[in-house]
Structure formats: structure tokens, C-alpha cells
Amino acid sequence: MRIIEGKFAGRVLPYKERKGRRVTTEKVRKAVFDVLKGFISFQDINVLDVFAGSGMYGLEAYSRGARSVIFVESNKHSISDILKNIDTLAAKDDLHIVHREWQKLDREKYESIFDLVFADPPYHTFDLGKLEDIAMVLRSGGMYVLEYSSNIALSGVPMGMKQIFVRQYGDTMIAIFQKE
């Protein structure tokens, strides 16, 4: 896995294949960030990476200038991978890991503090309806990127948000929303 742009551009991060986990391809990650560039500046923003996996979305945002990133992940192996990636970049100060499931996270603690949220839940075993309240952690104008399986139909736009982008990349769907 490789960081695409920013202060860590070109840096290759270790990745270990694990059963039941897939990594967002560099092509898809680049497409997401190219769309986001048209809506936000990455400088000094606060980022939340939910279902963080390897942490690549959050680390890419950090490389591009994000002030802080919080990774929410429940899998201990994925947390270990995120820690290794943070160590590889020597970028610990503003990167934090919360070992918890999104559904059990105290969202009131994080109300309206994030400028950008990435959510990449398990493709085939997750009810996307459980992410309906994600807007509460976003500031006004904040962006929400949802990666999900092309075999799943979105049930609508999260309350208080407008959809600005949706595209299919193989079996991956990307939807981007902005908080109104």
C-alpha cells in the first residue's frame, strides 16, 4: 500500500492479507481524494476513519495536511496494522486509535468536531442503516465518504446531508455526502 500525495507521498506501508478483510485499492482511494479536493482543503482538518482496517484513508488525509485523525476499529489485528503504519510514517502525535465498534462509540463526545469522515464497513455483513447518525459527528459542510459493496443498495441519503457523488469501481461503490 502506498501513500498517494502529501508529505508522505510515495511511502509504501506494510500490509498483511487477513481473512475477511479487503483493502481499498489505490485507484479507488485516488478517485475519492480527487473528488474531495473539489470540496475541501485538507489543511488542518479533523478526520474520523471508521472501520479503519489498515488506516489508509485516514493516513492519506494526514499526509495531505489533516491536523488530526481518529481511527475507530474493533479488530485487534487491524489495530496492530494501523499502529505499524503510524510507526512507519513516524507520525504519532495527532493520530489516535479508538478500539471500539462504531455502534458502541460515544458519538455525543465527538459531536460536530470532524470535517471529514470515512466509513468502510464490512461489505457483506454490515447493515448500512447503522451509519444513519454519522452526520452528528460532522461539522456543517463536512464530508462523509462511504465505501460499500455494489451488491448493496443504499436506502437513501443520511439525514441532514446531500449526496454529491456516487460511482462504482468493480465490486466497490463510493458515495460522498456533505452535511448541510
Short mmCIF file of all heavy atoms in Angstrom, two decimals, residues 14-55:
data_model
loop_
_atom_site.label_atom_id
_atom_site.label_comp_id
_atom_site.label_asym_id
_atom_site.label_seq_id
_atom_site.Cartn_x
_atom_site.Cartn_y
_atom_site.Cartn_z
N PRO A 14 3.49 -1.34 5.08
CA PRO A 14 3.33 -2.80 5.10
C PRO A 14 1.85 -3.18 5.17
O PRO A 14 1.05 -2.48 5.78
CB PRO A 14 4.07 -3.22 6.37
CG PRO A 14 4.13 -2.01 7.23
CD PRO A 14 4.11 -0.83 6.31
N TYR A 15 1.55 -4.28 4.54
CA TYR A 15 0.18 -4.78 4.59
C TYR A 15 0.21 -6.29 4.64
O TYR A 15 0.95 -6.93 3.89
CB TYR A 15 -0.61 -4.33 3.36
CG TYR A 15 -1.96 -4.99 3.28
CD1 TYR A 15 -2.96 -4.66 4.17
CD2 TYR A 15 -2.21 -5.98 2.34
CE1 TYR A 15 -4.19 -5.29 4.12
CE2 TYR A 15 -3.43 -6.61 2.28
CZ TYR A 15 -4.41 -6.26 3.18
OH TYR A 15 -5.64 -6.90 3.13
N LYS A 16 -0.57 -6.83 5.52
CA LYS A 16 -0.67 -8.28 5.64
C LYS A 16 -2.10 -8.69 5.30
O LYS A 16 -3.05 -8.21 5.91
CB LYS A 16 -0.32 -8.70 7.07
CG LYS A 16 -0.30 -10.19 7.27
CD LYS A 16 0.16 -10.54 8.67
CE LYS A 16 0.21 -12.04 8.85
NZ LYS A 16 0.63 -12.41 10.19
N GLU A 17 -2.24 -9.55 4.32
CA GLU A 17 -3.56 -10.08 3.96
C GLU A 17 -4.15 -10.80 5.17
O GLU A 17 -3.46 -11.56 5.84
CB GLU A 17 -3.47 -11.06 2.79
CG GLU A 17 -3.20 -10.41 1.46
CD GLU A 17 -4.41 -9.70 0.89
OE1 GLU A 17 -5.55 -10.04 1.24
OE2 GLU A 17 -4.20 -8.78 0.08
N ARG A 18 -5.40 -10.53 5.44
CA ARG A 18 -6.08 -11.21 6.53
C ARG A 18 -7.45 -11.68 6.03
O ARG A 18 -8.11 -10.98 5.28
CB ARG A 18 -6.25 -10.28 7.72
CG ARG A 18 -4.94 -9.81 8.31
CD ARG A 18 -5.17 -9.13 9.64
NE ARG A 18 -3.96 -8.50 10.13
CZ ARG A 18 -2.98 -9.11 10.74
NH1 ARG A 18 -3.03 -10.40 10.94
NH2 ARG A 18 -1.92 -8.44 11.16
N LYS A 19 -7.85 -12.84 6.51
CA LYS A 19 -9.14 -13.40 6.11
C LYS A 19 -10.26 -12.43 6.48
O LYS A 19 -10.31 -11.90 7.58
CB LYS A 19 -9.35 -14.74 6.82
CG LYS A 19 -10.62 -15.43 6.39
CD LYS A 19 -10.80 -16.76 7.09
CE LYS A 19 -12.10 -17.38 6.64
NZ LYS A 19 -12.35 -18.65 7.27
N GLY A 20 -11.16 -12.21 5.52
CA GLY A 20 -12.32 -11.37 5.77
C GLY A 20 -12.06 -9.88 5.65
O GLY A 20 -12.92 -9.07 5.94
N ARG A 21 -10.86 -9.50 5.23
CA ARG A 21 -10.56 -8.08 5.11
C ARG A 21 -10.10 -7.78 3.70
O ARG A 21 -9.38 -8.53 3.09
CB ARG A 21 -9.46 -7.70 6.10
CG ARG A 21 -9.17 -6.21 6.11
CD ARG A 21 -8.26 -5.83 7.22
NE ARG A 21 -6.88 -6.07 6.82
CZ ARG A 21 -5.84 -5.65 7.50
NH1 ARG A 21 -6.01 -5.02 8.64
NH2 ARG A 21 -4.62 -5.88 7.09
N ARG A 22 -10.56 -6.66 3.18
CA ARG A 22 -10.12 -6.22 1.87
C ARG A 22 -9.60 -4.79 2.02
O ARG A 22 -10.06 -4.04 2.87
CB ARG A 22 -11.26 -6.29 0.87
CG ARG A 22 -12.18 -5.14 1.03
CD ARG A 22 -13.54 -5.24 0.47
NE ARG A 22 -14.44 -4.69 1.44
CZ ARG A 22 -14.35 -3.45 1.91
NH1 ARG A 22 -13.43 -2.64 1.49
NH2 ARG A 22 -15.18 -3.01 2.81
N VAL A 23 -8.66 -4.44 1.21
CA VAL A 23 -8.08 -3.11 1.25
C VAL A 23 -8.59 -2.32 0.06
O VAL A 23 -8.68 -2.85 -1.06
CB VAL A 23 -6.53 -3.18 1.22
CG1 VAL A 23 -5.92 -1.82 1.05
CG2 VAL A 23 -6.02 -3.83 2.48
N THR A 24 -8.94 -1.08 0.29
CA THR A 24 -9.34 -0.21 -0.80
C THR A 24 -8.16 -0.05 -1.76
O THR A 24 -7.05 0.26 -1.32
CB THR A 24 -9.74 1.18 -0.24
OG1 THR A 24 -10.79 1.00 0.71
CG2 THR A 24 -10.19 2.10 -1.35
N THR A 25 -8.41 -0.26 -3.03
CA THR A 25 -7.32 -0.15 -3.99
C THR A 25 -6.83 1.30 -4.09
O THR A 25 -7.57 2.24 -3.79
CB THR A 25 -7.76 -0.62 -5.39
OG1 THR A 25 -8.76 0.29 -5.89
CG2 THR A 25 -8.28 -2.04 -5.37
N GLU A 26 -5.59 1.43 -4.53
CA GLU A 26 -5.02 2.77 -4.70
C GLU A 26 -5.84 3.57 -5.72
O GLU A 26 -6.05 4.77 -5.55
CB GLU A 26 -3.57 2.65 -5.15
CG GLU A 26 -2.85 3.96 -5.23
CD GLU A 26 -1.38 3.80 -5.54
OE1 GLU A 26 -0.73 2.89 -4.99
OE2 GLU A 26 -0.89 4.60 -6.34
N LYS A 27 -6.33 2.90 -6.76
CA LYS A 27 -7.14 3.57 -7.78
C LYS A 27 -8.40 4.19 -7.17
O LYS A 27 -8.74 5.34 -7.45
CB LYS A 27 -7.53 2.57 -8.87
CG LYS A 27 -8.47 3.10 -9.90
CD LYS A 27 -8.94 2.01 -10.86
CE LYS A 27 -10.04 2.52 -11.75
NZ LYS A 27 -10.58 1.48 -12.62
N VAL A 28 -9.08 3.43 -6.33
CA VAL A 28 -10.31 3.92 -5.70
C VAL A 28 -9.97 5.05 -4.71
O VAL A 28 -10.63 6.08 -4.69
CB VAL A 28 -11.09 2.78 -5.01
CG1 VAL A 28 -12.24 3.32 -4.17
CG2 VAL A 28 -11.59 1.78 -6.05
N ARG A 29 -8.94 4.85 -3.91
CA ARG A 29 -8.54 5.88 -2.94
C ARG A 29 -8.18 7.18 -3.66
O ARG A 29 -8.59 8.27 -3.24
CB ARG A 29 -7.37 5.37 -2.10
CG ARG A 29 -7.30 5.95 -0.74
CD ARG A 29 -6.34 5.25 0.21
NE ARG A 29 -5.49 4.23 -0.34
CZ ARG A 29 -4.23 4.42 -0.72
NH1 ARG A 29 -3.67 5.60 -0.60
NH2 ARG A 29 -3.52 3.43 -1.20
N LYS A 30 -7.44 7.08 -4.76
CA LYS A 30 -7.08 8.28 -5.52
C LYS A 30 -8.33 8.98 -6.05
O LYS A 30 -8.45 10.21 -5.99
CB LYS A 30 -6.14 7.93 -6.67
CG LYS A 30 -5.70 9.14 -7.49
CD LYS A 30 -4.74 8.77 -8.57
CE LYS A 30 -4.22 9.95 -9.36
NZ LYS A 30 -5.02 11.10 -9.52
N ALA A 31 -9.27 8.20 -6.59
CA ALA A 31 -10.51 8.78 -7.11
C ALA A 31 -11.27 9.52 -6.01
O ALA A 31 -11.78 10.63 -6.22
CB ALA A 31 -11.38 7.69 -7.73
N VAL A 32 -11.35 8.92 -4.83
CA VAL A 32 -12.05 9.55 -3.70
C VAL A 32 -11.39 10.88 -3.36
O VAL A 32 -12.07 11.91 -3.22
CB VAL A 32 -12.06 8.61 -2.47
CG1 VAL A 32 -12.46 9.36 -1.21
CG2 VAL A 32 -12.98 7.43 -2.71
N PHE A 33 -10.08 10.88 -3.23
CA PHE A 33 -9.40 12.12 -2.85
C PHE A 33 -9.44 13.16 -3.96
O PHE A 33 -9.50 14.36 -3.67
CB PHE A 33 -7.96 11.81 -2.38
CG PHE A 33 -7.92 11.36 -0.96
CD1 PHE A 33 -8.01 10.01 -0.64
CD2 PHE A 33 -7.82 12.28 0.09
CE1 PHE A 33 -8.01 9.58 0.68
CE2 PHE A 33 -7.81 11.86 1.41
CZ PHE A 33 -7.90 10.52 1.72
N ASP A 34 -9.46 12.73 -5.21
CA ASP A 34 -9.61 13.69 -6.30
C ASP A 34 -10.97 14.39 -6.24
O ASP A 34 -11.07 15.59 -6.48
CB ASP A 34 -9.43 13.00 -7.66
CG ASP A 34 -7.98 12.67 -7.98
OD1 ASP A 34 -7.07 13.16 -7.25
OD2 ASP A 34 -7.74 11.91 -8.94
N VAL A 35 -12.02 13.66 -5.91
CA VAL A 35 -13.34 14.27 -5.76
C VAL A 35 -13.34 15.21 -4.56
O VAL A 35 -13.81 16.36 -4.64
CB VAL A 35 -14.44 13.20 -5.60
CG1 VAL A 35 -15.77 13.84 -5.20
CG2 VAL A 35 -14.60 12.41 -6.88
N LEU A 36 -12.79 14.75 -3.43
CA LEU A 36 -12.79 15.58 -2.22
C LEU A 36 -12.05 16.89 -2.41
O LEU A 36 -12.44 17.92 -1.84
CB LEU A 36 -12.18 14.79 -1.06
CG LEU A 36 -13.02 13.64 -0.51
CD1 LEU A 36 -12.22 12.85 0.53
CD2 LEU A 36 -14.31 14.16 0.09
N LYS A 37 -10.97 16.88 -3.20
CA LYS A 37 -10.19 18.10 -3.45
C LYS A 37 -11.06 19.24 -3.98
O LYS A 37 -10.75 20.40 -3.77
CB LYS A 37 -9.07 17.85 -4.45
CG LYS A 37 -7.84 17.24 -3.85
CD LYS A 37 -6.67 17.34 -4.82
CE LYS A 37 -6.54 16.11 -5.67
NZ LYS A 37 -5.31 16.07 -6.47
N GLY A 38 -12.12 18.90 -4.68
CA GLY A 38 -13.02 19.92 -5.23
C GLY A 38 -13.95 20.53 -4.19
O GLY A 38 -14.64 21.51 -4.48
N PHE A 39 -13.97 19.95 -2.99
CA PHE A 39 -14.91 20.42 -1.97
C PHE A 39 -14.26 20.91 -0.68
O PHE A 39 -14.84 21.73 0.03
CB PHE A 39 -15.90 19.29 -1.62
CG PHE A 39 -16.84 18.98 -2.74
CD1 PHE A 39 -16.54 18.01 -3.67
CD2 PHE A 39 -18.03 19.68 -2.88
CE1 PHE A 39 -17.39 17.72 -4.72
CE2 PHE A 39 -18.90 19.41 -3.92
CZ PHE A 39 -18.58 18.42 -4.86
N ILE A 40 -13.10 20.37 -0.34
CA ILE A 40 -12.46 20.75 0.92
C ILE A 40 -10.95 20.88 0.74
O ILE A 40 -10.37 20.31 -0.16
CB ILE A 40 -12.72 19.73 2.06
CG1 ILE A 40 -12.16 18.35 1.70
CG2 ILE A 40 -14.18 19.63 2.41
CD1 ILE A 40 -12.20 17.36 2.85
N SER A 41 -10.37 21.64 1.65
CA SER A 41 -8.92 21.69 1.78
C SER A 41 -8.56 20.73 2.89
O SER A 41 -9.24 20.68 3.92
CB SER A 41 -8.47 23.10 2.15
OG SER A 41 -7.12 23.08 2.57
N PHE A 42 -7.50 19.99 2.73
CA PHE A 42 -7.12 19.01 3.75
C PHE A 42 -6.32 19.64 4.89
O PHE A 42 -6.11 19.01 5.92
CB PHE A 42 -6.34 17.85 3.12
CG PHE A 42 -7.17 17.04 2.18
CD1 PHE A 42 -7.08 17.22 0.80
CD2 PHE A 42 -8.08 16.12 2.65
CE1 PHE A 42 -7.86 16.50 -0.07
CE2 PHE A 42 -8.88 15.39 1.79
CZ PHE A 42 -8.77 15.58 0.42
N GLN A 43 -5.88 20.88 4.70
CA GLN A 43 -5.05 21.53 5.71
C GLN A 43 -5.83 21.74 7.00
O GLN A 43 -6.91 22.33 7.00
CB GLN A 43 -4.53 22.88 5.19
CG GLN A 43 -3.55 22.75 4.05
CD GLN A 43 -2.33 21.91 4.43
OE1 GLN A 43 -1.70 22.13 5.45
NE2 GLN A 43 -2.02 20.93 3.60
N ASP A 44 -5.27 21.23 8.09
CA ASP A 44 -5.78 21.46 9.45
C ASP A 44 -7.19 20.96 9.71
O ASP A 44 -7.89 21.48 10.58
CB ASP A 44 -5.68 22.95 9.81
CG ASP A 44 -4.24 23.42 9.82
OD1 ASP A 44 -3.38 22.65 10.28
OD2 ASP A 44 -3.97 24.54 9.36
N ILE A 45 -7.64 19.95 8.97
CA ILE A 45 -8.96 19.40 9.25
C ILE A 45 -8.86 18.25 10.25
O ILE A 45 -7.78 17.68 10.46
CB ILE A 45 -9.68 18.92 7.96
CG1 ILE A 45 -8.93 17.75 7.30
CG2 ILE A 45 -9.88 20.07 7.00
CD1 ILE A 45 -9.70 17.10 6.14
N ASN A 46 -9.98 17.92 10.86
CA ASN A 46 -10.09 16.77 11.77
C ASN A 46 -10.81 15.65 11.03
O ASN A 46 -11.89 15.87 10.47
CB ASN A 46 -10.86 17.16 13.03
CG ASN A 46 -10.12 18.21 13.82
OD1 ASN A 46 -8.94 18.09 14.08
ND2 ASN A 46 -10.82 19.26 14.21
N VAL A 47 -10.21 14.47 11.07
CA VAL A 47 -10.71 13.34 10.27
C VAL A 47 -11.06 12.17 11.19
O VAL A 47 -10.34 11.89 12.15
CB VAL A 47 -9.63 12.89 9.25
CG1 VAL A 47 -10.08 11.66 8.47
CG2 VAL A 47 -9.27 14.04 8.31
N LEU A 48 -12.15 11.49 10.86
CA LEU A 48 -12.56 10.26 11.53
C LEU A 48 -12.56 9.15 10.50
O LEU A 48 -13.18 9.28 9.44
CB LEU A 48 -13.95 10.42 12.13
CG LEU A 48 -14.55 9.21 12.84
CD1 LEU A 48 -13.74 8.85 14.08
CD2 LEU A 48 -16.00 9.48 13.22
N ASP A 49 -11.84 8.07 10.78
CA ASP A 49 -11.77 6.91 9.89
C ASP A 49 -12.43 5.75 10.62
O ASP A 49 -11.85 5.16 11.53
CB ASP A 49 -10.30 6.61 9.56
CG ASP A 49 -10.12 5.58 8.46
OD1 ASP A 49 -11.09 4.88 8.12
OD2 ASP A 49 -8.98 5.46 7.96
N VAL A 50 -13.68 5.44 10.25
CA VAL A 50 -14.48 4.42 10.92
C VAL A 50 -14.35 3.10 10.16
O VAL A 50 -14.35 3.09 8.93
CB VAL A 50 -15.97 4.85 10.96
CG1 VAL A 50 -16.81 3.82 11.68
CG2 VAL A 50 -16.11 6.21 11.62
N PHE A 51 -14.26 1.99 10.88
CA PHE A 51 -13.95 0.69 10.28
C PHE A 51 -12.62 0.85 9.54
O PHE A 51 -12.49 0.54 8.37
CB PHE A 51 -15.05 0.22 9.33
CG PHE A 51 -16.43 0.22 9.92
CD1 PHE A 51 -17.29 1.27 9.71
CD2 PHE A 51 -16.85 -0.83 10.71
CE1 PHE A 51 -18.56 1.28 10.27
CE2 PHE A 51 -18.11 -0.84 11.28
CZ PHE A 51 -18.98 0.22 11.06
N ALA A 52 -11.64 1.34 10.25
CA ALA A 52 -10.40 1.84 9.66
C ALA A 52 -9.57 0.77 8.95
O ALA A 52 -8.81 1.11 8.04
CB ALA A 52 -9.57 2.54 10.73
N GLY A 53 -9.65 -0.48 9.36
CA GLY A 53 -8.87 -1.52 8.70
C GLY A 53 -7.38 -1.23 8.81
O GLY A 53 -6.82 -1.20 9.89
N SER A 54 -6.74 -0.95 7.69
CA SER A 54 -5.31 -0.63 7.68
C SER A 54 -5.05 0.84 7.98
O SER A 54 -3.91 1.24 8.21
CB SER A 54 -4.71 -0.98 6.32
OG SER A 54 -5.29 -0.15 5.32
N GLY A 55 -6.12 1.64 7.95
CA GLY A 55 -5.98 3.07 8.24
C GLY A 55 -5.60 3.92 7.04
O GLY A 55 -5.28 5.10 7.18
#
